[in-house]
Amino acid sequence: MDKKQVDELWPELEWIEDGELRNKVRDVWAYALEESVLTPDDLRRIPFTLLAPGCTVTFMEHKRSVVHIARESGRIMKEFYGDQLPIDMDVLIAGAILIDVGKLLEYVLDGKGNAVVGMTGKYLRHPFTGVALARRFGLPDPVCHMIATHAKEGNLGKRTVESFIAHHADFMTFEPFVDRIG
C-alpha cells in the first residue's frame, strides 16, 4: 500500500512527534490495507459501526473524530493536572489512530459493497487483530495496550491513562448512535 494513501487518510499522523513511532503507525495502517479487502475509498464510505442500522457516519469520520477528541482531552488534562496525571501524547495519538485498525481484517464487503463481519471477524474481534498488527511492526506495549483495552474486551482489566482517554473518546462517539433516547 502506498504510504501516501495512509497519510491522506490520516493527516493526524503528523501530530506524533516521535518520527519512529509515527512511521510504525503508518506501516501498520499500510499493511492492514494491503491485507484487507477494504480500500481507502471504502473506509470513507462504509458506516463506522455495523451495530447501528442506517448509520451514515463513515468509518473515517468516526475514527478521525476519536483521535481529535482524545488529543484535545489529553491536552486539557495535561493543562489542569500537569505532573499529577502524566500523559504521553505520542502514545495517546498513536493508540487512538490504531484502536480500530483490526476492523480492516474483521470486515469484508458483501455482493452489494456493504461492510459485513467476515470469517476473521467471527472468530477474532478487532482488538485482537489490531494488537497482532501492531506487534508485527514493533509498536510499544503502551500502544498495544490501548488497542487491546479500548473496547469491551478491556473492561475487566486496568487501563492506562491514555487508554482511558481513547476508550471514552471512542464510546462517546459510538454510544449515542446505538443507545440514545429520541
Side-chain angles (χ1 to χ4, degrees), residues 129-181:
T129 53
V131 169
L133 290 166
R135 296 289 296 170
R136 178 183 180 95
F137 288 90
L139 271 291
D141 288 342
V143 173
C144 292
H145 168 81
M146 288 179 65
I147 299 166
T149 62
H150 83 279
K152 65 184 177 184
E153 288 80 359
N155 289 346
L156 296 177
K158 292 192 179 269
R159 290 183 169 107
T160 61
V161 174
E162 295 84 3
S163 184
F164 268 115
I165 294 168
H167 166 75
H168 286 287
D170 190 34
F171 274 79
M172 71 183 284
T173 57
F174 164 75
E175 289 179 339
F177 288 99
V178 297
D179 191 22
R180 70 172 180 228
I181 298 172

Side-chain angles (χ1 to χ4, degrees), residues 35-90:
E35 294 296 308
S36 179
V37 299
L38 302 172
T39 66
D41 286 339
D42 291 328
L43 298 178
R44 291 183 188 103
R45 71 168 183 80
I46 65 171
F48 82 92
T49 181
L50 302 179
L51 301 175
C55 180
T56 58
V57 175
T58 71
F59 182 88
M60 288 309 300
E61 288 170 335
H62 169 71
K63 288 311 313 150
R64 291 186 64 215
S65 75
V66 167
V67 175
H68 283 249
I69 291 166
R71 178 184 183 225
E72 192 63 15
S73 296
R75 187 192 67 72
I76 291 168
M77 291 169 75
K78 282 177 74 83
E79 178 183 330
F80 282 90
Y81 306 135
D83 293 339
Q84 297 175 81
L85 192 64
I87 298 169
D88 186 323
M89 293 299 288
D90 274 358

Side-chain angles (χ1 to χ4, degrees), residues 104-134:
L104 276 67
L105 304 181
E106 185 177 342
Y107 290 176
V108 295
L109 299 175
D110 68 11
K112 297 178 183 176
N114 298 313
V116 296
V117 174
M119 186 60 68
T120 298
K122 289 179 182 178
Y123 290 100
L124 299 167
R125 276 183 29 90
H126 62 280
F128 299 103
T129 53
V131 169
L133 290 166

